[in-house]
Amino acid sequence: FAESVLEIIGARRKEWAGAVAEIHYWIDVLVEAPILAGVFVTGGAMVHRVTIDAALGVKIACGAVAIVANAICIAAVIRRRRGPRPLGTTRVVFSTAVIGMPFAIVAAVIGLTRLF
């Protein structure tokens, strides 16, 4: 969510676009990528330890979509920082958020309801 707000600011205030891109890059590198790796590793470990039922299958599928969407976003943000700012990066960021967030929410809800 925070990254989407940053991208909105960068899109509306062109003079802030460079700073927004830099901040978004560091959020992705220092926070987002490690969390994404942790979700991937712990999800993989979970699959090997439990019996997969329908709900867990949905959680795994939704989590996979969210992971892929987030990885695409991180790649776009890194590519934007490394070279000339490609057109459409903000659209990619928003698209991955719009696609990934609902799946991430479903996966989280299923996971949290299984805790209790």
Side-chain angles (χ1 to χ4, degrees):
F1 178 74
E3 295 166 334
S4 295
V5 171
L6 280 173
E7 292 293 332
I8 290 169
I9 291 169
R12 291 186 179 166
R13 304 283 306 260
K14 298 299 180 193
E15 67 273 13
W16 291 6
V20 165
E22 188 71 13
I23 293 167
H24 193 164
Y25 170 82
W26 286 109
I27 290 172
D28 278 5
V29 168
L30 297 176
V31 179
E32 198 94 23
I35 289 172
L36 185 66
V39 168
F40 184 75
V41 169
T42 58
M46 177 192 65
V47 167
H48 291 295
R49 293 187 175 161
V50 298
T51 303
I52 299 176
D53 59 10
L56 187 55
V58 171
K59 178 185 184 302
I60 292 167
C62 288
V65 171
I67 286 171
V68 169
N70 206 333
I72 291 169
C73 178
I74 291 170
V77 168
I78 290 170
R79 192 175 337 113
R80 174 174 64 185
R81 184 172 186 267
R82 286 191 177 163
R85 304 218 190 284
L87 295 173
T89 301
T90 299
R91 276 191 298 259
V92 170
V93 169
F94 284 128
S95 297
T96 58
V98 167
I99 292 167
M101 288 301 279
F103 287 97
I105 291 167
V106 170
V109 168
I110 292 171
L112 291 172
T113 58
R114 295 178 78 107
L115 286 177
F116 304 106

